[in-house]
PDB file of all heavy atoms in Angstrom:
ATOM      1  N   ALA A   1     -79.021  -9.685 -17.943  1.00  0.00           N
ATOM      2  CA  ALA A   1     -79.578  -9.442 -16.605  1.00  0.00           C
ATOM      3  C   ALA A   1     -80.734  -8.449 -16.664  1.00  0.00           C
ATOM      4  O   ALA A   1     -81.725  -8.575 -15.924  1.00  0.00           O
ATOM      5  CB  ALA A   1     -78.481  -8.943 -15.674  1.00  0.00           C
ATOM      6  N   ALA A   2     -80.639  -7.468 -17.567  1.00  0.00           N
ATOM      7  CA  ALA A   2     -81.679  -6.438 -17.662  1.00  0.00           C
ATOM      8  C   ALA A   2     -83.026  -7.010 -18.082  1.00  0.00           C
ATOM      9  O   ALA A   2     -84.081  -6.461 -17.738  1.00  0.00           O
ATOM     10  CB  ALA A   2     -81.256  -5.353 -18.653  1.00  0.00           C
ATOM     11  N   ALA A   3     -83.026  -8.130 -18.820  1.00  0.00           N
ATOM     12  CA  ALA A   3     -84.275  -8.682 -19.361  1.00  0.00           C
ATOM     13  C   ALA A   3     -85.248  -9.061 -18.249  1.00  0.00           C
ATOM     14  O   ALA A   3     -86.468  -8.947 -18.409  1.00  0.00           O
ATOM     15  CB  ALA A   3     -83.974  -9.891 -20.236  1.00  0.00           C
ATOM     16  N   ARG A   4     -84.734  -9.490 -17.104  1.00  0.00           N
ATOM     17  CA  ARG A   4     -85.620  -9.909 -16.013  1.00  0.00           C
ATOM     18  C   ARG A   4     -86.321  -8.717 -15.369  1.00  0.00           C
ATOM     19  O   ARG A   4     -87.328  -8.891 -14.675  1.00  0.00           O
ATOM     20  CB  ARG A   4     -84.833 -10.712 -14.975  1.00  0.00           C
ATOM     21  CG  ARG A   4     -84.327 -12.033 -15.543  1.00  0.00           C
ATOM     22  CD  ARG A   4     -83.440 -12.786 -14.578  1.00  0.00           C
ATOM     23  NE  ARG A   4     -82.841 -13.942 -15.225  1.00  0.00           N
ATOM     24  CZ  ARG A   4     -83.330 -15.184 -15.179  1.00  0.00           C
ATOM     25  NH1 ARG A   4     -84.424 -15.425 -14.477  1.00  0.00           N
ATOM     26  NH2 ARG A   4     -82.736 -16.166 -15.806  1.00  0.00           N
ATOM     27  N   GLN A   5     -85.788  -7.533 -15.594  1.00  0.00           N
ATOM     28  CA  GLN A   5     -86.468  -6.319 -15.150  1.00  0.00           C
ATOM     29  C   GLN A   5     -87.377  -5.774 -16.242  1.00  0.00           C
ATOM     30  O   GLN A   5     -88.462  -5.265 -15.969  1.00  0.00           O
ATOM     31  CB  GLN A   5     -85.430  -5.259 -14.763  1.00  0.00           C
ATOM     32  CG  GLN A   5     -84.553  -5.656 -13.598  1.00  0.00           C
ATOM     33  CD  GLN A   5     -85.354  -5.942 -12.341  1.00  0.00           C
ATOM     34  OE1 GLN A   5     -86.281  -5.206 -12.006  1.00  0.00           O
ATOM     35  NE2 GLN A   5     -85.020  -7.028 -11.650  1.00  0.00           N
ATOM     36  N   VAL A   6     -86.929  -5.886 -17.498  1.00  0.00           N
ATOM     37  CA  VAL A   6     -87.688  -5.337 -18.626  1.00  0.00           C
ATOM     38  C   VAL A   6     -89.044  -6.021 -18.762  1.00  0.00           C
ATOM     39  O   VAL A   6     -90.073  -5.363 -18.948  1.00  0.00           O
ATOM     40  CB  VAL A   6     -86.875  -5.465 -19.931  1.00  0.00           C
ATOM     41  CG1 VAL A   6     -87.756  -5.182 -21.148  1.00  0.00           C
ATOM     42  CG2 VAL A   6     -85.690  -4.502 -19.913  1.00  0.00           C
ATOM     43  N   PHE A   7     -89.070  -7.352 -18.677  1.00  0.00           N
ATOM     44  CA  PHE A   7     -90.322  -8.096 -18.817  1.00  0.00           C
ATOM     45  C   PHE A   7     -90.895  -8.357 -17.429  1.00  0.00           C
ATOM     46  O   PHE A   7     -90.320  -9.117 -16.652  1.00  0.00           O
ATOM     47  CB  PHE A   7     -90.090  -9.417 -19.552  1.00  0.00           C
ATOM     48  CG  PHE A   7     -89.575  -9.251 -20.954  1.00  0.00           C
ATOM     49  CD1 PHE A   7     -88.231  -9.429 -21.251  1.00  0.00           C
ATOM     50  CD2 PHE A   7     -90.441  -8.889 -21.977  1.00  0.00           C
ATOM     51  CE1 PHE A   7     -87.752  -9.257 -22.532  1.00  0.00           C
ATOM     52  CE2 PHE A   7     -89.973  -8.713 -23.273  1.00  0.00           C
ATOM     53  CZ  PHE A   7     -88.628  -8.897 -23.551  1.00  0.00           C
ATOM     54  N   GLU A   8     -92.029  -7.736 -17.124  1.00  0.00           N
ATOM     55  CA  GLU A   8     -92.595  -7.907 -15.792  1.00  0.00           C
ATOM     56  C   GLU A   8     -92.939  -9.375 -15.521  1.00  0.00           C
ATOM     57  O   GLU A   8     -92.729  -9.878 -14.416  1.00  0.00           O
ATOM     58  CB  GLU A   8     -93.838  -7.035 -15.635  1.00  0.00           C
ATOM     59  CG  GLU A   8     -94.395  -7.053 -14.224  1.00  0.00           C
ATOM     60  CD  GLU A   8     -95.389  -5.951 -13.975  1.00  0.00           C
ATOM     61  OE1 GLU A   8     -94.953  -4.818 -13.680  1.00  0.00           O
ATOM     62  OE2 GLU A   8     -96.602  -6.216 -14.102  1.00  0.00           O
ATOM     63  N   ASP A   9     -93.466 -10.058 -16.539  1.00  0.00           N
ATOM     64  CA  ASP A   9     -93.725 -11.494 -16.402  1.00  0.00           C
ATOM     65  C   ASP A   9     -92.654 -12.233 -17.203  1.00  0.00           C
ATOM     66  O   ASP A   9     -92.921 -12.791 -18.269  1.00  0.00           O
ATOM     67  CB  ASP A   9     -95.128 -11.840 -16.902  1.00  0.00           C
ATOM     68  CG  ASP A   9     -95.549 -13.268 -16.554  1.00  0.00           C
ATOM     69  OD1 ASP A   9     -94.682 -14.054 -16.104  1.00  0.00           O
ATOM     70  OD2 ASP A   9     -96.727 -13.608 -16.763  1.00  0.00           O
ATOM     71  N   TRP A  10     -91.432 -12.216 -16.659  1.00  0.00           N
ATOM     72  CA  TRP A  10     -90.318 -12.846 -17.369  1.00  0.00           C
ATOM     73  C   TRP A  10     -90.563 -14.338 -17.619  1.00  0.00           C
ATOM     74  O   TRP A  10     -90.273 -14.826 -18.721  1.00  0.00           O
ATOM     75  CB  TRP A  10     -89.004 -12.638 -16.597  1.00  0.00           C
ATOM     76  CG  TRP A  10     -87.820 -13.211 -17.305  1.00  0.00           C
ATOM     77  CD1 TRP A  10     -87.029 -12.570 -18.216  1.00  0.00           C
ATOM     78  CD2 TRP A  10     -87.285 -14.538 -17.189  1.00  0.00           C
ATOM     79  NE1 TRP A  10     -86.042 -13.414 -18.674  1.00  0.00           N
ATOM     80  CE2 TRP A  10     -86.183 -14.628 -18.053  1.00  0.00           C
ATOM     81  CE3 TRP A  10     -87.645 -15.644 -16.430  1.00  0.00           C
ATOM     82  CZ2 TRP A  10     -85.423 -15.795 -18.189  1.00  0.00           C
ATOM     83  CZ3 TRP A  10     -86.899 -16.821 -16.569  1.00  0.00           C
ATOM     84  CH2 TRP A  10     -85.809 -16.884 -17.431  1.00  0.00           C
ATOM     85  N   PRO A  11     -91.089 -15.121 -16.673  1.00  0.00           N
ATOM     86  CA  PRO A  11     -91.292 -16.554 -16.945  1.00  0.00           C
ATOM     87  C   PRO A  11     -92.193 -16.817 -18.151  1.00  0.00           C
ATOM     88  O   PRO A  11     -91.934 -17.744 -18.929  1.00  0.00           O
ATOM     89  CB  PRO A  11     -91.916 -17.068 -15.646  1.00  0.00           C
ATOM     90  CG  PRO A  11     -91.404 -16.137 -14.591  1.00  0.00           C
ATOM     91  CD  PRO A  11     -91.382 -14.805 -15.259  1.00  0.00           C
ATOM     92  N   ALA A  12     -93.250 -16.005 -18.324  1.00  0.00           N
ATOM     93  CA  ALA A  12     -94.143 -16.204 -19.466  1.00  0.00           C
ATOM     94  C   ALA A  12     -93.419 -15.891 -20.767  1.00  0.00           C
ATOM     95  O   ALA A  12     -93.567 -16.613 -21.771  1.00  0.00           O
ATOM     96  CB  ALA A  12     -95.384 -15.333 -19.331  1.00  0.00           C
ATOM     97  N   MET A  13     -92.620 -14.835 -20.784  1.00  0.00           N
ATOM     98  CA  MET A  13     -91.854 -14.485 -21.976  1.00  0.00           C
ATOM     99  C   MET A  13     -90.858 -15.591 -22.299  1.00  0.00           C
ATOM    100  O   MET A  13     -90.691 -15.980 -23.460  1.00  0.00           O
ATOM    101  CB  MET A  13     -91.124 -13.154 -21.748  1.00  0.00           C
ATOM    102  CG  MET A  13     -90.320 -12.672 -22.953  1.00  0.00           C
ATOM    103  SD  MET A  13     -91.377 -12.317 -24.376  1.00  0.00           S
ATOM    104  CE  MET A  13     -90.132 -11.856 -25.599  1.00  0.00           C
ATOM    105  N   ALA A  14     -90.198 -16.118 -21.273  1.00  0.00           N
ATOM    106  CA  ALA A  14     -89.222 -17.188 -21.473  1.00  0.00           C
ATOM    107  C   ALA A  14     -89.887 -18.430 -22.065  1.00  0.00           C
ATOM    108  O   ALA A  14     -89.373 -19.042 -23.010  1.00  0.00           O
ATOM    109  CB  ALA A  14     -88.546 -17.526 -20.143  1.00  0.00           C
ATOM    110  N   ARG A  15     -91.041 -18.808 -21.517  1.00  0.00           N
ATOM    111  CA  ARG A  15     -91.755 -19.988 -22.043  1.00  0.00           C
ATOM    112  C   ARG A  15     -92.151 -19.789 -23.502  1.00  0.00           C
ATOM    113  O   ARG A  15     -92.007 -20.702 -24.327  1.00  0.00           O
ATOM    114  CB  ARG A  15     -92.994 -20.270 -21.192  1.00  0.00           C
ATOM    115  CG  ARG A  15     -92.699 -20.803 -19.794  1.00  0.00           C
ATOM    116  CD  ARG A  15     -93.958 -21.343 -19.140  1.00  0.00           C
ATOM    117  NE  ARG A  15     -94.992 -20.321 -18.991  1.00  0.00           N
ATOM    118  CZ  ARG A  15     -95.105 -19.523 -17.931  1.00  0.00           C
ATOM    119  NH1 ARG A  15     -94.253 -19.625 -16.919  1.00  0.00           N
ATOM    120  NH2 ARG A  15     -96.076 -18.628 -17.857  1.00  0.00           N
ATOM    121  N   ASP A  16     -92.649 -18.599 -23.830  1.00  0.00           N
ATOM    122  CA  ASP A  16     -93.072 -18.334 -25.206  1.00  0.00           C
ATOM    123  C   ASP A  16     -91.895 -18.402 -26.174  1.00  0.00           C
ATOM    124  O   ASP A  16     -92.017 -18.915 -27.291  1.00  0.00           O
ATOM    125  CB  ASP A  16     -93.734 -16.961 -25.301  1.00  0.00           C
ATOM    126  CG  ASP A  16     -95.136 -16.951 -24.726  1.00  0.00           C
ATOM    127  OD1 ASP A  16     -95.686 -18.044 -24.463  1.00  0.00           O
ATOM    128  OD2 ASP A  16     -95.690 -15.844 -24.537  1.00  0.00           O
ATOM    129  N   CYS A  17     -90.747 -17.880 -25.755  1.00  0.00           N
ATOM    130  CA  CYS A  17     -89.561 -17.893 -26.615  1.00  0.00           C
ATOM    131  C   CYS A  17     -89.120 -19.318 -26.933  1.00  0.00           C
ATOM    132  O   CYS A  17     -88.840 -19.657 -28.094  1.00  0.00           O
ATOM    133  CB  CYS A  17     -88.421 -17.136 -25.945  1.00  0.00           C
ATOM    134  SG  CYS A  17     -88.586 -15.337 -25.980  1.00  0.00           S
ATOM    135  N   VAL A  18     -89.058 -20.168 -25.915  1.00  0.00           N
ATOM    136  CA  VAL A  18     -88.588 -21.536 -26.128  1.00  0.00           C
ATOM    137  C   VAL A  18     -89.615 -22.332 -26.921  1.00  0.00           C
ATOM    138  O   VAL A  18     -89.259 -23.131 -27.804  1.00  0.00           O
ATOM    139  CB  VAL A  18     -88.271 -22.228 -24.789  1.00  0.00           C
ATOM    140  CG1 VAL A  18     -87.786 -23.648 -25.022  1.00  0.00           C
ATOM    141  CG2 VAL A  18     -87.205 -21.439 -24.028  1.00  0.00           C
ATOM    142  N   ALA A  19     -90.898 -22.120 -26.649  1.00  0.00           N
ATOM    143  CA  ALA A  19     -91.940 -22.824 -27.398  1.00  0.00           C
ATOM    144  C   ALA A  19     -91.874 -22.455 -28.878  1.00  0.00           C
ATOM    145  O   ALA A  19     -92.095 -23.304 -29.753  1.00  0.00           O
ATOM    146  CB  ALA A  19     -93.314 -22.501 -26.823  1.00  0.00           C
ATOM    147  N   HIS A  20     -91.560 -21.196 -29.173  1.00  0.00           N
ATOM    148  CA  HIS A  20     -91.402 -20.787 -30.574  1.00  0.00           C
ATOM    149  C   HIS A  20     -90.227 -21.524 -31.224  1.00  0.00           C
ATOM    150  O   HIS A  20     -90.349 -22.038 -32.342  1.00  0.00           O
ATOM    151  CB  HIS A  20     -91.186 -19.276 -30.669  1.00  0.00           C
ATOM    152  CG  HIS A  20     -90.690 -18.835 -32.002  1.00  0.00           C
ATOM    153  ND1 HIS A  20     -91.495 -18.777 -33.120  1.00  0.00           N
ATOM    154  CD2 HIS A  20     -89.438 -18.477 -32.427  1.00  0.00           C
ATOM    155  CE1 HIS A  20     -90.779 -18.396 -34.172  1.00  0.00           C
ATOM    156  NE2 HIS A  20     -89.534 -18.201 -33.773  1.00  0.00           N
ATOM    157  N   LEU A  21     -89.095 -21.577 -30.518  1.00  0.00           N
ATOM    158  CA  LEU A  21     -87.935 -22.269 -31.083  1.00  0.00           C
ATOM    159  C   LEU A  21     -88.223 -23.745 -31.326  1.00  0.00           C
ATOM    160  O   LEU A  21     -87.765 -24.326 -32.307  1.00  0.00           O
ATOM    161  CB  LEU A  21     -86.724 -22.130 -30.150  1.00  0.00           C
ATOM    162  CG  LEU A  21     -85.794 -20.941 -30.347  1.00  0.00           C
ATOM    163  CD1 LEU A  21     -84.538 -21.124 -29.511  1.00  0.00           C
ATOM    164  CD2 LEU A  21     -85.431 -20.717 -31.806  1.00  0.00           C
ATOM    165  N   ARG A  22     -88.951 -24.373 -30.417  1.00  0.00           N
ATOM    166  CA  ARG A  22     -89.313 -25.777 -30.596  1.00  0.00           C
ATOM    167  C   ARG A  22     -90.174 -25.954 -31.850  1.00  0.00           C
ATOM    168  O   ARG A  22     -90.061 -26.952 -32.564  1.00  0.00           O
ATOM    169  CB  ARG A  22     -90.065 -26.295 -29.372  1.00  0.00           C
ATOM    170  CG  ARG A  22     -89.197 -26.956 -28.329  1.00  0.00           C
ATOM    171  CD  ARG A  22     -88.496 -28.178 -28.849  1.00  0.00           C
ATOM    172  NE  ARG A  22     -87.773 -28.913 -27.810  1.00  0.00           N
ATOM    173  CZ  ARG A  22     -86.973 -29.923 -28.072  1.00  0.00           C
ATOM    174  NH1 ARG A  22     -86.770 -30.322 -29.307  1.00  0.00           N
ATOM    175  NH2 ARG A  22     -86.349 -30.553 -27.085  1.00  0.00           N
ATOM    176  N   THR A  23     -91.044 -24.990 -32.130  1.00  0.00           N
ATOM    177  CA  THR A  23     -91.880 -25.047 -33.323  1.00  0.00           C
ATOM    178  C   THR A  23     -91.025 -24.966 -34.582  1.00  0.00           C
ATOM    179  O   THR A  23     -91.229 -25.713 -35.536  1.00  0.00           O
ATOM    180  CB  THR A  23     -92.915 -23.911 -33.298  1.00  0.00           C
ATOM    181  OG1 THR A  23     -93.685 -24.007 -32.093  1.00  0.00           O
ATOM    182  CG2 THR A  23     -93.850 -23.990 -34.482  1.00  0.00           C
ATOM    183  N   VAL A  24     -90.057 -24.059 -34.576  1.00  0.00           N
ATOM    184  CA  VAL A  24     -89.134 -23.943 -35.712  1.00  0.00           C
ATOM    185  C   VAL A  24     -88.355 -25.245 -35.883  1.00  0.00           C
ATOM    186  O   VAL A  24     -88.188 -25.753 -37.003  1.00  0.00           O
ATOM    187  CB  VAL A  24     -88.166 -22.756 -35.501  1.00  0.00           C
ATOM    188  CG1 VAL A  24     -87.107 -22.714 -36.608  1.00  0.00           C
ATOM    189  CG2 VAL A  24     -88.933 -21.442 -35.457  1.00  0.00           C
ATOM    190  N   HIS A  25     -87.902 -25.817 -34.772  1.00  0.00           N
ATOM    191  CA  HIS A  25     -87.123 -27.059 -34.809  1.00  0.00           C
ATOM    192  C   HIS A  25     -87.931 -28.211 -35.393  1.00  0.00           C
ATOM    193  O   HIS A  25     -87.420 -29.025 -36.160  1.00  0.00           O
ATOM    194  CB  HIS A  25     -86.659 -27.404 -33.396  1.00  0.00           C
ATOM    195  CG  HIS A  25     -85.821 -28.633 -33.309  1.00  0.00           C
ATOM    196  ND1 HIS A  25     -86.354 -29.874 -33.025  1.00  0.00           N
ATOM    197  CD2 HIS A  25     -84.486 -28.830 -33.474  1.00  0.00           C
ATOM    198  CE1 HIS A  25     -85.387 -30.785 -33.023  1.00  0.00           C
ATOM    199  NE2 HIS A  25     -84.254 -30.168 -33.287  1.00  0.00           N
ATOM    200  N   GLY A  26     -89.215 -28.285 -35.057  1.00  0.00           N
ATOM    201  CA  GLY A  26     -90.039 -29.364 -35.572  1.00  0.00           C
ATOM    202  C   GLY A  26     -90.235 -29.284 -37.070  1.00  0.00           C
ATOM    203  O   GLY A  26     -90.242 -30.304 -37.767  1.00  0.00           O
ATOM    204  N   ALA A  27     -90.387 -28.067 -37.583  1.00  0.00           N
ATOM    205  CA  ALA A  27     -90.609 -27.882 -39.011  1.00  0.00           C
ATOM    206  C   ALA A  27     -89.327 -28.062 -39.811  1.00  0.00           C
ATOM    207  O   ALA A  27     -89.355 -28.562 -40.936  1.00  0.00           O
ATOM    208  CB  ALA A  27     -91.194 -26.495 -39.270  1.00  0.00           C
ATOM    209  N   ASP A  28     -88.196 -27.674 -39.235  1.00  0.00           N
ATOM    210  CA  ASP A  28     -86.923 -27.750 -39.966  1.00  0.00           C
ATOM    211  C   ASP A  28     -85.778 -27.885 -38.963  1.00  0.00           C
ATOM    212  O   ASP A  28     -85.184 -26.891 -38.546  1.00  0.00           O
ATOM    213  CB  ASP A  28     -86.736 -26.484 -40.818  1.00  0.00           C
ATOM    214  CG  ASP A  28     -85.466 -26.533 -41.671  1.00  0.00           C
ATOM    215  OD1 ASP A  28     -84.793 -27.590 -41.691  1.00  0.00           O
ATOM    216  OD2 ASP A  28     -85.160 -25.515 -42.329  1.00  0.00           O
ATOM    217  N   PRO A  29     -85.456 -29.123 -38.548  1.00  0.00           N
ATOM    218  CA  PRO A  29     -84.405 -29.324 -37.536  1.00  0.00           C
ATOM    219  C   PRO A  29     -83.049 -28.765 -37.937  1.00  0.00           C
ATOM    220  O   PRO A  29     -82.212 -28.509 -37.076  1.00  0.00           O
ATOM    221  CB  PRO A  29     -84.348 -30.846 -37.381  1.00  0.00           C
ATOM    222  CG  PRO A  29     -85.662 -31.342 -37.882  1.00  0.00           C
ATOM    223  CD  PRO A  29     -86.071 -30.393 -38.965  1.00  0.00           C
TER     224      PRO A  29
END
């Protein structure tokens, strides 16, 4: 719950995190 306060632009941080995981998944599922 604290993360939504810690990151002022939480949606942008969330998108970046998932996009990174998708990149890892593509290289090595």
Side-chain angles (χ1 to χ4, degrees):
R4 294 175 188 265
Q5 297 301 317
V6 168
F7 298 101
E8 186 166 277
D9 190 349
W10 182 89
M13 182 64 182
R15 289 193 300 271
D16 285 348
C17 285
V18 180
H20 166 74
L21 270 190
R22 267 298 187 188
T23 304
V24 174
H25 182 266
D28 183 6

